[in-house]
Amino acid sequence: MKRLKTKLLYSFIIIGCFYILYIIFGNVYHSRYNLNTTSIRGKILSYSIDGDCLQLEIKAKEKMILFYTFSSIEEKEFYENSIALGDIYNFYGVLQVPSTNSNFHLFSYRKYLFSKKIYYIMQVEEFSLYKRNRNIFYTLKNNLYHLIEKRSTSSYLATFLFGDTSLMKSSTLQMFRNCGVSHLIAISGMHITLFSMALLHLLKWVRSNYVKYSFIIGILWVYAFLVGFTPSIMRAVLSFSIVSIGHLCQRRLHPLAIILWLFFFFLLYNPFYIYHTGFLFSFIVSFFLVLSQDIIKKSKCYIKKIFLISCVAFLSGIPIIATSFYEINLLSSVLNIVFVPLISFFVFPFALFSLIFPFLECIFKFSLYILQNVLEYSNAYFTWRFIVPYMNIYWIVGYYIILFLILYYKKFRYIILILLFLLLHSYRTVFEKYLIITAIDVGQGDSILIQLPHNQGNVLIDTGGKIAYGVESWRQRSTNSIASTTLIPFLKSVGVHSLDYLILSHGDYDHMGEAINLVESFKVEKVIFNCGPHNDLENELIKVLKKKNINYSSCIKELNFDSNKLYFLNTKEYDNENDNSNVIYAELNNYQFLFMGDASTVTEKEILDKYNLPNIDVLKVGHHGSRTSSSEVFVDTINPKYGVISVGKNNRYGHPNKEVLNNLNNSKIYRTDIDGSILFKIKNYKLEIKTCPP
């Protein structure tokens, strides 16, 4: 045991030193192209079509993601029928640096692509076929995909056999996430274990171990190719290959040493794997499962063994899951007792059998029927969601040190420390001494979060919302809502468990389009509407509020929460939504904030005539910087020190208007299209400002 401890310690030290030196001295960000490149020849590794958009992953001198917009339905149908994996095309277009997250703590597309060694994306203007695929492996992959597409169970076959969830309904995927069992629909070490065990059983009649293990290793590498050499699959395949070679050479290699050294070589190949969720989940969970193998093996009861494995996997995966979804299901370990054997021994095997033997598809459908019912029942009765805010590196390291010591020294009574750690972290906003106002980047729309110190209150002004402008049905793309991709994850990431107030400046879609999605999925105590008659969108929301017994009111003059007040300056009714916008003045810790909604110069003049406004510290500029708002007289009167313009990048309206920017010339301007989300923290009576540029 002491020798093992020493080896593990040395492994950690060596891996850490090599990684740090590689990051410092190695050229980890390196591309063979530059932004002046306009033509590329590459092989298609994967592709997907969503509405009028074709997305390709190609291998040229390096991997790259390409986007192309079809000009007609005929062009779309042509490429749907002709494009194939392994084909080589000439592409002409413009290279771009991938965008990163424009909201604090949320998903970074750039870092994700870095983890795949992709440094540029290309907006393709035209492309042409250079050479058809002649590779036997790509031919096999194409034929398998075409075979799957013809089946009525295609979405589940693609998911369980190849980890491709693009065909599965988003509602079904969300149910897997809610139950905390989404790892079971990702191609992982479980699939490799099942494959290898099945093949070892089928080949037990083969006397030569060299032939047997060589054949199995070969099959596993072909499967790794079919699913795209994902890090989790590569870890499992390499682990099996190394263990098999050690077995043939009659040398036993310790699993922990294999995991640590594979971890090192993966990071040596690409340090940006550290941003790949699948990579981290696979290695960290495997490390702690191996660390706990003595405890797990002692259990003779299968159900207890599954439960122990689920508990260890759950505890070790919490920081990774939290970083992606900022929420965990505390009952997922219990649910895994049902889902693991159901998927491992029924759904996955019958998916494979039904692909090879089509007459068995009816049995596969029956297994899916059981899975769907168990999934729906579990979502309804066995989801105990717990918000886990963003963990910085210090929280993560502290968490894993505690978990390592508990499992290594088998001090299970100290698991309570993990629970206390999570509870403390989840409600850490109780210890936040400062008031924070964040302008969230929701594209062409508004959304502003106010967080009072010590978690005494949370107010959200507007929700944002995307508008579909009557395009043809074939062009429409399947996009997730801003509430599910931005608002709710962001709220959870900063430790907001519920909203005391949701204030809607007015009834336009870009300000309240996500309100229904928000109140359906997140706890909201009360909703405040503006003055004037309710439009159709507001009436739809009111129906939901009544159904969920959420209080709401309209046209109020002031709002008290804790020791703070929000003053609603616009109580006059106009004949349009923009001028009816709630205009909110707030004095927060001696700083003056003014939120203008979409109020025009007409409303601005009315407010100046009615109120003697002081100089404003932070102005949320009206109507996204449109020329209909922020008149020179209004801006000169309130003399804002800082201006915040919530606006979409390259928006079709040309916001913000140049004249408005000139009117705000004496103010420091922050724009969500350039600066991303903008955070104002009032700390020790000083205003600290942070941005998250995309």
Side-chain angles (χ1 to χ4, degrees):
M1 181 59 74
K2 289 183 178 180
R3 290 182 62 189
L4 176 59
K5 288 181 182 179
T6 305
K7 288 180 180 179
L8 289 177
L9 178 62
Y10 285 155
S11 295
F12 274 121
I13 293 171
I14 294 171
I15 289 170
C17 291
F18 267 101
Y19 184 66
I20 292 169
L21 290 172
Y22 189 35
I23 289 292
I24 295 173
F25 298 107
N27 190 4
V28 296
Y29 181 89
H30 175 71
S31 174
R32 298 179 184 180
Y33 297 101
N34 57 62
L35 291 173
N36 296 321
T37 304
T38 57
S39 63
I40 290 173
R41 178 179 295 166
K43 179 189 295 182
I44 297 176
L45 301 179
S46 67
Y47 69 93
S48 62
I49 296 174
D50 187 5
D52 64 342
C53 182
L54 169 67
Q55 178 177 323
L56 302 154
E57 181 177 337
I58 68 164
K59 180 71 170 70
K61 293 178 182 177
E62 65 193 37
K63 287 184 180 180
M64 193 173 292
I65 297 292
L66 285 68
F67 298 93
Y68 177 74
T69 303
F70 296 121
S71 58
S72 67
I73 192 168
E74 290 78 20
E75 185 185 28
K76 176 184 175 181
E77 289 175 348
F78 171 77
Y79 282 111
E80 278 182 329
N81 296 322
S82 65
I83 201 166
L85 303 178
D87 288 349
I88 299 175
Y89 279 80
N90 292 319
F91 300 94
Y92 307 92
V94 179
L95 287 190
Q96 298 175 357
V97 176
S99 61
T100 188
N101 53 303
S102 60
N103 287 292
F104 299 103
H105 316 318
L106 298 192
F107 174 74
S108 170
Y109 187 53
R110 184 183 301 168
K111 289 179 179 178
Y112 167 72
L113 291 184
F114 280 178
S115 73
K116 300 178 72 174
K117 281 202 166 183
I118 297 175
Y119 308 115
Y120 290 115
I121 61 175
M122 174 182 266
Q123 295 293 337
V124 178
E125 296 171 357
E126 59 177 303
F127 63 105
S128 59
L129 179 67
Y130 175 74
K131 186 191 296 183
R132 284 291 181 191
N133 166 59
R134 294 179 181 176
N135 185 294
I136 186 172
F137 295 108
Y138 281 109
T139 302
L140 172 63
K141 197 170 182 177
N142 282 318
N143 290 336
L144 286 173
Y145 271 94
H146 290 150
L147 185 62
I148 287 173
E149 287 173 358
K150 296 175 182 177
R151 301 290 181 82
S152 58
T153 55
S154 59
S155 61
Y156 287 97
L157 285 172
T159 297
F160 288 112
L161 295 181
F162 300 108
D164 182 2
T165 58
S166 61
L167 299 176
M168 187 173 281
K169 292 180 181 178
S170 58
S171 58
T172 304
L173 289 173
Q174 190 59 48
M175 283 196 290
F176 276 104
R177 294 190 189 109
N178 291 343
C179 289
V181 294
S182 56
H183 60 282
L184 296 176
I185 59 172
I187 300 298
S188 63
M190 180 192 77
H191 295 74
I192 297 301
T193 301
L194 291 171
F195 262 132
S196 57
M197 287 175 61
L199 290 171
L200 281 169
H201 182 73
L202 290 172
L203 298 175
K204 62 182 180 180
W205 54 272
V206 178
R207 293 184 178 181
S208 172
N209 284 333
Y210 289 97
V211 173
K212 185 192 302 182
Y213 283 105
S214 297
F215 178 78
I216 294 172
I217 290 171
I219 292 293
L220 293 181
W221 277 94
V222 171
Y223 183 65
F225 166 78
L226 293 176
V227 299
F229 294 115
T230 60
S232 56
I233 282 292
M234 290 307 300
R235 178 202 60 77
V237 171
L238 286 169
S239 295
F240 181 84
S241 302
I242 293 169
V243 171
S244 299
I245 293 169
H247 177 71
L248 293 174
C249 298
Q250 297 182 343
R251 292 196 63 181
R252 185 181 181 277
L253 302 173
H254 198 281
L256 280 179
I258 294 173
I259 289 171
L260 287 172
W261 283 105
L262 282 178
F263 184 78
F264 163 66
F265 285 117
F266 269 71
L267 289 181
L268 194 62
Y269 168 72
N270 182 10
F272 288 105
Y273 269 142
I274 208 73
Y275 297 124
H276 195 290
T277 303
F279 168 81
L280 292 174
F281 193 86
S282 178
F283 273 95
I284 291 175
V285 171
S286 297
F287 175 83
F288 282 103
L289 283 174
V290 172
L291 192 67
S292 313
Q293 63 181 340
D294 291 340
I295 310 158
I296 295 168
K297 285 179 180 178
K298 284 180 182 178
S299 176
K300 303 299 181 183
C301 175
Y302 174 76
I303 293 178
K304 184 179 178 181
K305 189 176 289 188
I306 291 292
F307 179 70
L308 288 172
I309 292 171
S310 299
C311 284
V312 173
F314 170 70
L315 291 172
S316 57
I318 283 175
I320 305 163
I321 296 170
T323 303
S324 301
F325 306 110
Y326 301 110
E327 184 179 69
I328 57 175
N329 180 12
L330 292 176
L331 298 178
S332 64
S333 296
V334 177
L335 291 175
N336 271 284
I337 297 174
V338 177
F339 280 97
V340 169
L342 177 59
I343 292 176
S344 300
F345 302 124
F346 291 96
V347 179
F348 177 67
F350 282 120
L352 183 60
F353 293 151
S354 68
L355 180 66
I356 302 170
F357 308 109
F359 63 88
L360 293 176
E361 189 169 21
C362 58
I363 303 177
F364 179 51
K365 285 183 179 179
F366 180 69
S367 70
L368 292 178
Y369 172 77
I370 296 173
L371 175 64
Q372 188 69 27
N373 279 274
V374 172
L375 195 60
E376 291 174 1
Y377 186 83
S378 300
N379 263 265
Y381 301 105
F382 288 94
T383 52
W384 187 5
R385 300 182 191 177
F386 184 77
I387 291 175
V388 184
Y390 172 76
M391 284 187 175
N392 60 32
I393 188 64
Y394 303 108
W395 281 93
I396 292 173
V397 170
Y399 178 91
Y400 279 126
I401 287 174
I402 295 172
L403 183 61
F404 177 83
L405 293 174
I406 290 171
L407 295 178
Y408 189 78
Y409 291 104
K410 301 178 179 63
K411 303 293 184 181
F412 301 110
R413 61 182 178 274
Y414 293 116
I415 286 290
I416 189 67
L417 292 176
I418 289 287
L419 301 177
L420 289 174
F421 185 96
L422 289 174
L423 191 65
L424 176 67
H425 177 69
S426 181
Y427 289 94
R428 67 182 186 183
T429 51
V430 173
F431 306 100
E432 175 60 65
K433 298 186 294 184
Y434 308 112
L435 189 144
I436 299 173
I437 300 98
T438 307
I440 306 168
D441 180 17
V442 290
Q444 185 67 16
D446 274 13
S447 189
I448 296 170
L449 175 67
I450 302 174
Q451 295 173 269
L452 293 184
H454 304 295
N455 199 30
Q456 293 171 338
N458 300 295
V459 177
L460 185 69
I461 304 175
D462 289 333
T463 67
K466 291 182 180 178
I467 308 172
Y469 292 97
V471 295
E472 302 126 297
S473 60
W474 72 273
R475 287 186 181 273
Q476 293 178 1
R477 303 173 190 172
S478 57
T479 55
N480 293 317
S481 68
I482 291 173
S484 63
T485 59
T486 302
L487 273 184
I488 295 175
F490 176 77
L491 293 174
K492 291 175 181 176
S493 77
V494 294
V496 174
H497 293 251
S498 64
L499 293 171
D500 296 270
Y501 296 98
L502 169 60
I503 301 174
L504 302 173
S505 62
H506 61 295
D508 282 355
Y509 200 91
D510 58 334
H511 288 255
M512 65 159 291
E514 293 296 328
I516 291 178
N517 289 329
L518 183 66
V519 299
E520 290 277 18
S521 308
F522 200 79
K523 187 177 180 181
V524 178
E525 301 292 343
K526 189 172 183 178
V527 177
I528 308 294
F529 292 95
N530 60 319
C531 297
H534 294 140
N535 63 15
D536 292 342
L537 191 58
E538 290 169 314
N539 285 326
E540 286 297 315
L541 173 59
I542 289 172
K543 290 179 185 178
V544 177
L545 297 179
K546 289 178 178 178
K547 184 179 177 181
K548 297 180 73 67
N549 294 317
I550 298 174
N551 294 324
Y552 66 93
S553 58
S554 304
C555 203
I556 65 173
K557 292 185 178 180
E558 63 181 48
L559 182 65
N560 298 305
F561 61 107
D562 191 47
S563 58
N564 295 275
K565 277 189 177 182
L566 298 182
Y567 297 93
F568 292 73
L569 306 184
N570 184 23
T571 55
K572 182 178 178 180
E573 291 189 20
Y574 297 88
D575 59 358
N576 66 83
E577 279 290 342
N578 286 349
D579 281 328
N580 280 333
S581 287
N582 277 321
V583 176
I584 303 168
Y585 168 78
E587 186 172 325
L588 305 171
N589 290 10
N590 296 320
Y591 281 89
Q592 286 72 38
F593 291 79
L594 188 60
F595 308 100
M596 293 300 298
D598 275 358
S600 75
T601 54
V602 175
T603 307
E604 291 173 359
K605 184 178 184 305
E606 194 77 30
I607 288 171
L608 289 180
D609 292 340
K610 190 174 181 180
Y611 302 99
N612 183 24
L613 291 176
N615 287 348
I616 299 298
D617 291 296
V618 180
L619 170 69
K620 201 295 295 183
V621 177
H623 205 184
H624 321 290
S626 164
R627 63 184 178 84
T628 61
S629 302
S630 308
S631 67
E632 186 176 358
V633 173
F634 181 73
V635 172
D636 288 345
T637 303
I638 64 173
N639 190 28
K641 189 173 183 180
Y642 302 101
V644 174
I645 302 177
S646 187
V647 62
K649 192 172 184 178
N650 301 322
N651 65 86
R652 62 192 297 229
Y653 308 100
H655 294 163
N657 182 263
K658 290 182 180 179
E659 185 179 335
V660 170
L661 293 176
N662 289 333
N663 293 343
L664 293 163
N665 193 42
N666 293 326
S667 305
K668 170 65 177 174
I669 300 296
Y670 292 97
R671 297 167 46 172
T672 56
D673 61 332
I674 295 174
D675 302 297
S677 60
I678 304 117
L679 182 148
F680 298 91
K681 179 185 283 190
I682 303 174
K683 185 175 180 180
N684 299 327
Y685 301 101
K686 292 183 180 179
L687 200 62
E688 290 187 0
I689 304 172
K690 293 181 181 179
T691 62
C692 189

